[in-house]
Amino acid sequence: MAEAYDISRIRNIGIMAHIDAGKTTTTERVLYYTGSSHRLGNVDSGDTQMDWMEQEQERGITITSAATTCFWREASINIIDTPGHVDFTVEVERSLRVLDGGVVVFCAVGGVQPQSETVWRQADKYRVPRLAFVNKMDRTGADFRRVVGQIRSKLRARAVPMQIPIGSESAFRGVVDLVEMQAYIWDQDVLGSRFSIVPIPSELAAAAEEARFEMIDSVAEYDDEVLTKYVAGEHLSIQEIRTAVRAATLACEVIPVFCGSSFRNKGVQALLDGVVDYLPSPADLPPVKGVRVNKEGESIEEIRSCSDHEPFCGLAFKLMNDPFVGQLTFVRVYSGVLKAGETVYNASSDRRERCNRLVRIHANKREEVSILRAGEIGGVVGLKATITGDTLCDENNPVVLETMQFPEPVVNIALESDSANDSDRLFGALRRLGLEDPTFKYRVDEETGQTIISGMGELHLDIIVDRLRREFGVKTRVGQPQVSYRETVTRPAEAEVRYVKQTGGHGQYAHVVMDIEPLERGGGIVFENATVGGVIPKEFMPAIERGVRESAAAGVLAGFQVIDFKVRVSDGSFHEVDSSEMAFKVAGSMAIKDLVARGKPVILEPVMALEVTVPAEYLGDVLGNLSSRRARVVRVDTSDSLHVVGAEVPLGEMFGYVTELRSLSQGRGTQTMEFLHYAPAPAEVQMRVINAGRST
């Protein structure tokens, strides 16, 4: 591969979708047609290559993002297959952080669904150019035009069909290519590996001409030569059209749309052509930006181009425990080269690390390589102190890239090990799982002695407990899921704290005057030094902030984390001999507890965005049940014979809902749910939570 390295031929892409849209099946077909696999993996049969974990194969869902490399038309395509379930959205987030392009798969029946919107927002956040693939065109109720319309209306994206389907539902048999203006009919007898190119069916000729005109009109302005010819009414070549589509796609202005049926082996080759033709190589993207600190302590913007000749820098975006090699760190190389056996500098933690081995990854298989070049993604064996989001670089040319932010977990359960031996192994396993998954947290409750694990949902924690048993051999007793509430202040307050402690030697002295004010939801914790005249030396401020943040982890009402506030240090004093960082940290901790208590604190509960799809005859029962759960219905849409209910509902009211929905709809209802925001809980809920906290 090193001899054939051409950065313009690399495609780093992610495949994303709502659960059950056919994302993993699409990836399996990609591997088959590119020659990376000699059999067609099937989700239902549990024999897919990308969903290689036992839990994935048993449940038929993707849990962790899996990476692989395949080749199509002399291009090297690095693919990351991401989960569709909202509990594992962190996998999508960190994958999009390092990918150059994306393929978003939509179900031709379900269209734009809740997790579709979530992954789309994540892709927008990182300005990832993407294609859309409308899958399952052979299903009853499939409607290509409706899905394209939903992409435009719900996602506010300029969706531009590159194809129109020939037939639909059971009659779907091919597509009309609007660039080449010819029809492709797949031969099902050879698993779609062969197709016929035929003239456009006469009944589709007018529709194809109209769709082609719309496509050219949408992209012409992004290529000056094409625009000039288009305005003048001159003929445009196939290559000119592709160049314009590519320019518009790279600018994130249009979304080329393809269609097919991955399960029936139709349309995947054309999608691969679209990946090569329209998605960016690393060389097409702007240079990556980071910061370096000069000798004066100032942060200066640093730009690194995607070139072998630049100093090395890369981002660690995923950690995985490998049974054969230990900790495996996934790294995207942004500039320079990374060689096996060399020492790199972790600019995030100010530590040197040795890269013992480098590997290319194909799901759970490894191929050892000697070098990773600019633009490539691979695995590093041997890094001991690197975590997700850390920057690795050349020590002589340090730089820190923007890290990743992850949502806080919203569901807790208590664990107890079956034996003392298991107890020791439990914490080792939890530590390793916590390094893998930034949305998974664990702690020991100081009052009860219980181990509390926290995650993004019941399924997320269920998988964690299952992995503890299977991978680490740790047997545990599991408590009932509990909501991870938060606390916040609702009014400004001021406090003054003097921490004075006399000992035989030097004493301890710290004096701070601080105030607090509430922030909007999602405001986090803001710390401000507003002192003047050096009443508190600057070197003590980080200690005060640490005291504030550490104490905010346990609130005054029920012991939940305090969020969304700004604290300001306005005054104070120090002692030349007795003042220390420890003293000011303690003072900051004491002050924040006092401030929160004075700030009229309240309990916040997590509110979820819920979408329920049910046949019309069960709508009334479902709405009545949601009302009893304090849900606020925001919309009810009708699609064929189904109703889609969108609602906002407190997480605390939703445990056991899947089972109840199944009962209400005779097994025909489905639901998806994701975290939306925190909101003040009703008085009776607050009292219940506070009383429960005091009784433990």
Side-chain angles (χ1 to χ4, degrees):
M1 179 69 186
E3 293 77 16
Y5 175 78
D6 179 357
I7 195 170
S8 69
R9 306 303 298 171
I10 293 175
R11 301 291 183 272
N12 295 316
I13 68 167
I15 300 184
M16 302 156 284
H18 183 90
I19 192 169
D20 289 333
K23 170 181 52 55
T24 297
T25 301
T26 301
T27 307
E28 293 292 320
R29 295 320 185 253
V30 166
L31 298 181
Y32 179 77
Y33 294 126
T34 58
S36 298
S37 171
H38 300 293
R39 61 176 175 82
L40 290 173
N42 192 321
V43 173
D44 295 331
S45 305
D47 61 356
T48 61
Q49 295 194 59
M50 300 301 280
D51 286 351
W52 56 269
M53 293 175 64
E54 290 181 32
Q55 295 91 338
E56 294 177 314
Q57 296 179 348
E58 290 172 359
R59 299 165 188 254
I61 61 171
T62 303
I63 293 170
T64 183
S65 54
T68 190
T69 299
C70 59
F71 300 89
W72 185 256
R73 287 173 39 197
E74 300 182 351
S76 172
I77 306 176
N78 300 312
I79 300 174
I80 295 183
D81 178 28
T82 63
H85 197 286
V86 67
D87 281 18
F88 310 106
T89 190
V90 63
E91 296 287 344
V92 183
E93 179 81 19
R94 59 182 169 189
S95 298
L96 285 169
R97 172 66 176 82
V98 299
L99 292 173
D100 303 327
V103 174
V104 186
V105 181
F106 298 92
C107 173
V109 180
V112 176
Q113 297 170 283
Q115 188 63 6
S116 311
E117 297 183 64
T118 299
V119 300
W120 200 268
R121 288 195 301 270
Q122 290 170 311
D124 282 343
K125 174 181 172 182
Y126 295 113
R127 285 192 59 79
V128 176
R130 71 215 81 149
L131 312 179
F133 181 62
V134 181
N135 190 29
K136 302 188 179 184
M137 285 297 301
D138 59 317
R139 287 267 305 274
T140 301
D143 190 330
F144 179 73
R145 290 174 63 92
R146 178 171 55 83
V147 178
V148 171
Q150 289 183 348
I151 296 173
R152 292 169 176 169
S153 61
K154 291 188 175 183
L155 304 178
R156 298 181 179 85
R158 195 172 184 180
V160 179
M162 307 305 293
Q163 305 166 334
I164 59 173
I166 302 175
S168 64
E169 301 182 340
S170 61
F172 175 71
R173 57 194 180 97
V175 300
V176 173
D177 185 306
L178 299 176
V179 177
E180 298 181 351
M181 287 301 280
Q182 50 192 9
Y184 288 75
I185 308 296
W186 277 273
D187 187 347
Q188 188 58 35
D189 293 336
V190 289
L191 298 174
S193 60
R194 190 168 61 238
F195 49 82
S196 303
I197 303 175
V198 300
I200 298 171
S202 57
E203 68 272 16
L204 290 176
E209 286 290 347
E210 183 181 351
R212 189 174 197 263
F213 176 82
E214 180 186 349
M215 174 192 65
I216 296 173
D217 185 65
S218 298
V219 304
E221 63 184 279
Y222 299 98
D223 185 285
D224 291 340
E225 187 174 340
V226 170
L227 180 61
T228 301
K229 284 190 173 183
Y230 174 67
V231 172
E234 298 178 22
H235 172 75
L236 292 170
S237 69
I238 290 174
Q239 188 54 52
E240 286 173 327
I241 295 172
R242 285 180 177 150
T243 300
V245 173
R246 178 177 178 82
T249 305
L250 298 191
C252 294
E253 294 294 336
V254 305
I255 307 295
V257 185
F258 298 79
C259 65
S261 171
S262 296
F263 186 72
R264 301 297 179 189
N265 314 306
K266 298 174 182 175
V268 176
Q269 300 98 323
L271 177 63
L272 280 165
D273 286 339
V275 168
V276 176
D277 289 336
Y278 305 129
L279 290 183
S281 76
D284 293 317
L285 299 176
V288 68
K289 294 181 180 179
V291 297
R292 62 177 176 87
V293 179
N294 64 13
K295 295 180 179 179
E296 289 72 37
E298 300 169 325
S299 295
I300 300 175
E301 185 177 81
E302 187 86 358
I303 294 177
R304 295 286 172 83
S305 299
C306 190
S307 165
D308 285 2
H309 305 296
E310 290 271 326
F312 163 70
C313 79
L315 186 74
F317 67 96
K318 178 180 171 70
L319 273 63
M320 187 175 77
N321 292 300
D322 188 288
F324 302 105
V325 302
Q327 181 171 296
L328 182 63
T329 305
F330 289 63
V331 174
R332 161 68 190 263
V333 180
Y334 283 101
S335 66
V337 297
L338 179 61
K339 297 178 180 179
E342 73 178 2
T343 298
V344 296
Y345 177 60
N346 185 327
S348 304
S349 64
D350 190 25
R351 298 183 65 168
R352 296 172 185 84
E353 294 256 49
R354 183 173 177 81
C355 305
N356 294 333
R357 295 160 56 194
L358 303 179
V359 296
R360 293 195 197 281
I361 301 159
H362 178 65
N364 63 335
K365 299 180 177 63
R366 315 282 176 256
E367 175 196 351
E368 196 155 339
V369 295
S370 61
I371 189 171
L372 291 174
R373 298 179 180 273
E376 294 187 317
I377 294 173
V380 182
V381 179
L383 303 181
K384 301 184 183 304
T386 297
I387 61 174
T388 299
D390 282 359
T391 300
L392 303 175
C393 60
D394 175 20
E395 188 173 6
N396 295 321
N397 297 275
V399 64
V400 178
L401 304 177
E402 181 184 359
T403 189
M404 292 172 275
Q405 303 297 322
F406 302 108
E408 290 293 317
V410 294
V411 176
N412 304 328
I413 59 173
L415 294 182
E416 292 183 9
S417 51
D418 282 355
S419 67
N421 289 335
D422 277 344
S423 180
D424 293 336
R425 287 191 295 153
L426 172 63
F427 285 100
L430 292 177
R431 184 187 67 81
R432 291 171 66 181
L433 291 171
L435 288 173
E436 280 189 21
D437 184 352
T439 62
F440 168 68
K441 308 289 185 185
Y442 67 95
R443 62 182 174 86
V444 176
D445 189 291
E446 294 182 358
E447 296 184 359
T448 65
Q450 288 181 311
T451 301
I452 309 297
I453 64 173
S454 307
M456 300 307 297
E458 291 180 84
L459 178 60
H460 186 194
L461 294 181
D462 186 33
I463 295 295
I464 291 289
V465 172
D466 195 44
R467 291 186 65 188
L468 286 172
R469 176 178 61 84
R470 295 195 195 198
E471 293 179 31
F472 301 96
V474 178
K475 296 180 180 179
T476 59
R477 295 185 296 276
V478 182
Q480 291 297 312
Q482 302 291 326
V483 177
S484 181
Y485 293 97
R486 296 288 187 267
E487 299 180 22
T488 194
V489 295
T490 59
R491 67 184 182 191
E494 186 174 337
E496 182 174 6
V497 170
R498 290 181 191 272
Y499 176 64
V500 183
K501 187 175 181 181
Q502 297 298 326
T503 61
H506 288 311
Q508 296 286 340
Y509 179 89
H511 170 216
V512 295
V513 179
M514 298 167 57
D515 57 68
I516 195 170
E517 63 180 85
L519 297 177
E520 297 289 329
R521 297 287 79 82
I525 299 175
V526 177
F527 180 87
E528 180 185 344
N529 175 17
T531 60
V532 295
V535 293
I536 301 175
K538 287 192 299 184
E539 58 263 31
F540 291 139
M541 283 298 162
I544 299 174
E545 184 174 0
R546 284 198 301 275
V548 168
R549 292 184 179 276
E550 289 177 13
S551 287
V556 301
L557 293 176
F560 293 103
Q561 182 182 355
V562 186
I563 62 171
D564 299 341
F565 66 87
K566 176 181 178 180
V567 66
R568 187 172 67 102
V569 184
S570 58
D571 203 357
S573 62
F574 72 104
H575 189 279
E576 290 283 357
V577 177
D578 293 345
S579 287
S580 65
E581 289 187 2
M582 179 57 70
F584 275 99
K585 180 182 176 182
V586 172
S589 176
M590 294 167 62
I592 194 62
K593 290 184 179 297
D594 193 11
L595 286 168
V596 172
R598 294 168 181 256
K600 198 176 180 183
V602 296
I603 299 290
L604 301 174
E605 62 181 358
V607 177
M608 313 301 286
L610 174 71
E611 185 172 282
V612 183
T613 303
V614 290
E617 58 263 39
Y618 306 111
L619 179 62
D621 290 339
V622 167
L623 290 175
N625 183 265
L626 288 176
S627 178
S628 71
R629 295 173 180 270
R630 296 196 284 125
R632 183 176 74 88
V633 175
V634 294
R635 59 182 175 84
V636 179
D637 300 327
T638 301
S639 176
D640 298 323
S641 61
L642 298 175
H643 287 294
V644 181
V645 180
E648 298 177 3
V649 58
L651 175 61
E653 305 289 342
M654 294 303 290
F655 293 122
Y657 181 69
V658 174
T659 302
E660 192 160 350
L661 176 63
R662 194 176 295 124
S663 175
L664 287 171
S665 64
Q666 297 185 13
R668 297 170 66 189
T670 60
Q671 63 88 35
T672 60
M673 188 170 62
E674 64 176 315
F675 173 75
L676 188 61
H677 56 73
Y678 278 96
E684 62 273 16
V685 174
Q686 294 201 44
M687 188 56 64
R688 186 177 73 241
V689 172
I690 292 170
N691 290 337
R694 289 171 177 171
S695 64
T696 56

